[in-house]
Amino acid sequence: MTTKKNIKILISGGGTGGHIFPALSIANALKRRNPNTEILFVGAENRMEMERVPAAGYKIVGLPVCGFDRKRLWRNVKVLFKLWKSMRIAQKILHEFQPDIAVGVGGYASGPMLKEAQKKGIPTLLQEQNSYAGVTNKLLAKEASAICVAYEGMERFFPGDKIALTGNPVRADILNCELTREQAKKQLGFDASQKLVLVVGGSLGARTINESVALALDEILATGAQVMWQTGKIYAQECSEKVKGKTGVTATAFISDMNIAYRAADLVVSRAGAGTISELQLLGMPVILIPSPNVAEDHQRKNAQALVEKDAAVMILDCECIEKLTTTTKELLADDAKREQLSQNIKKMALIDADEKIVNKIYEILNK
């Protein structure tokens, strides 16, 4: 162990739940290991980490950084100014907090923050959630002390000697549900004897998934199956109208008890974010993945493809979703053996205790 009692750790990144949940899991694991650890988060102003991190009991500082506009290049003058300003603030944060190590989880803020840490000779650890590495992590990799990944074959992006295959940290409560599938269905108000399809499109929702579910709903319900539909807050009102008067279906903006929802489900329909996939792997859930086309480097499609190649998931492209979702869902509901096969194969890809493995790596770096 390190000789210093109060270790100071800076964790930077965010923008989406896919970055924030792993960051908080790492922070919680650090606190379990040594309650005296001082942790400071650095996020992007006006992004969801500025609410989620303080709610979890940690201090956060926001940078004015934002993403590059790849379609309207003239708008990037303002982006470059914000980047320069963020780097100045990052220097000030490092001078005042003096971390022993900086951890980057991806997202806007991790770029300027970890770059400044590397310039000062502070060791850095990167956590890459996706099967296709993000631009920020690729730029930071050369000077990083270690890079924790969730997929094999990441040597095509990063120096092989720095890679540690740890998996993605997930929310602890996801794994802690002890209900049977029947008990979970009852608790959520569904018929325990009928199959349940769980639809999740992310916290804001996914237009294509919602439109496709609305069109597929009557045919899915006609098979005797039930549907738990997480619509996202943008589409909540519109989707609630679609289920009025129908039995065996609920539509809700947000599911607070995801652990119970997962446990109740016989089949999941979902986007292909790295954090969600890690949860599905650990729980062994049969899933239809519909990758979002609106993400950098098309990384959700590459995440999904990594599972499809191992017969661990079914993928429908966003542009084919309206056409294919009804048939694919009905086929899988009717084929218990296929769902069981998907369940077994996705579970084989699970990497457990990712948060603890990352903390081990942090201590390894500090002890050097």
Side-chain angles (χ1 to χ4, degrees), residues 106-212:
Y108 302 137
S110 67
M113 197 64 245
L114 267 78
K115 193 75 199 162
E116 289 302 323
Q118 289 176 345
K119 281 187 200 168
K120 282 192 174 297
I122 295 164
T124 55
L125 177 141
L126 307 179
Q127 202 254 326
E128 175 55 63
Q129 292 108 16
N130 295 293
S131 65
Y132 192 91
V135 174
T136 303
N137 279 347
K138 283 193 277 192
L139 292 172
L140 294 166
K142 192 168 173 245
E143 300 296 324
S145 306
I147 303 154
C148 296
V149 301
Y151 290 88
E152 291 166 355
M154 298 300 282
E155 295 80 6
R156 48 201 179 120
F157 305 111
F158 304 129
D161 59 339
K162 295 184 178 185
I163 294 173
L165 184 64
T166 58
N168 285 324
V170 301
R171 296 170 278 184
D173 64 326
I174 292 292
L175 305 174
N176 296 340
C177 181
E178 291 178 358
L179 300 173
T180 64
R181 184 168 287 161
E182 289 70 26
Q183 287 169 335
K185 281 178 187 169
K186 278 184 186 165
Q187 194 156 323
L188 295 169
F190 290 100
D191 183 337
S193 66
Q194 301 292 342
K195 292 187 180 107
L196 177 67
V197 180
L198 171 65
V199 181
V200 280
S203 53
L204 296 175
R207 176 174 287 285
T208 311
I209 292 180
N210 286 336
E211 286 177 354
S212 305

Side-chain angles (χ1 to χ4, degrees), residues 50-101:
M50 301 309 291
E51 288 176 22
R52 294 284 171 91
V53 170
Y58 295 100
K59 189 181 171 194
I60 186 166
V61 180
L63 301 181
V65 67
C66 59
F68 278 91
D69 192 325
R70 297 173 195 214
K71 290 177 183 166
R72 293 159 293 194
L73 295 175
W74 68 89
R75 293 196 172 183
N76 289 318
V77 174
K78 192 193 279 185
V79 174
L80 288 169
F81 174 70
K82 286 184 172 183
L83 181 62
W84 173 80
K85 198 173 166 190
S86 295
M87 294 186 97
R88 296 291 299 271
I89 297 168
Q91 289 167 7
K92 186 169 179 274
I93 291 167
L94 292 171
H95 177 72
E96 289 174 358
F97 185 61
Q98 303 215 330
D100 296 291
I101 187 168

Side-chain angles (χ1 to χ4, degrees), residues 129 150-151 167-168 170 174-175 262 273-287 289 303-304 306-307 310 312-313 342-352:
Q129 292 108 16
Y151 290 88
N168 285 324
V170 301
I174 292 292
L175 305 174
Y262 276 141
T276 301
I277 286 179
S278 294
E279 291 172 353
L280 295 166
Q281 287 170 335
L282 287 161
L283 297 169
M285 299 300 303
V287 62
L289 292 171
N303 291 346
L307 272 69
K310 297 197 173 180
L342 290 172
S343 175
Q344 296 293 333
N345 290 345
I346 197 171
K347 198 152 196 168
K348 283 178 198 162
M349 295 180 77
L351 294 165
I352 60 166

Side-chain angles (χ1 to χ4, degrees), residues 322-357:
I322 285 174
E323 177 195 339
K324 292 186 175 177
L325 185 66
T326 309
T327 313
T328 308
T329 304
K330 284 167 69 180
E331 282 171 2
L332 279 171
L333 284 169
D335 192 342
D336 294 353
K338 177 64 177 174
R339 290 200 319 280
E340 182 56 30
Q341 184 186 20
L342 290 172
S343 175
Q344 296 293 333
N345 290 345
I346 197 171
K347 198 152 196 168
K348 283 178 198 162
M349 295 180 77
L351 294 165
I352 60 166
D353 299 328
D355 52 355
E356 294 294 336
K357 288 174 188 165

